Amino acid sequence: MAGGQIKSAWSVACRKAGLPGRTRKWQPKGSGAVKTAFVPDITPHDLRHTWATWHYCLHRDILKLKDDGGWATLSIVTRYAKKMPDEYKKDVENWLNRDD
């Protein structure tokens, strides 16, 4: 199963944080017991897309993004990063520099 290395820990962390998701129920073959698991709506992969988009919004440097993200080609970078309007740059900076 893809993402299995952190899937359980991610699911538990999201559930405990109160993030949105759903409860999945299934019955494994040969078992009489029904299993349940919390499936979060947000995945680590979603966060990678967000990080790439925010990085490009802040720096406007596709080669820096490629290097910082560890991608091999620019075509992969363009799958992750989306262009945000310039007016969001200040919002991203404020969110990253906030004190919690």
Side-chain angles (χ1 to χ4, degrees), residues 22-28 33-39:
R22 63 182 174 80
T23 300
R24 178 177 173 247
K25 295 182 180 186
W26 74 99
Q27 184 171 353
V34 174
K35 290 188 142 198
T36 63
F38 179 76
V39 181

Side-chain angles (χ1 to χ4, degrees), residues 51-71:
W51 175 83
T53 299
W54 286 16
H55 186 290
Y56 187 73
C57 178
L58 293 174
H59 303 290
R60 295 287 193 235
D61 185 340
I62 198 86
L63 294 177
K64 178 175 176 41
L65 175 56
K66 178 182 166 288
D67 291 341
D68 290 351
W71 289 291

Side-chain angles (χ1 to χ4, degrees), residues 7-18:
K7 193 176 219 176
S8 296
W10 178 258
S11 176
V12 169
C14 288
R15 182 179 47 78
K16 287 184 176 183

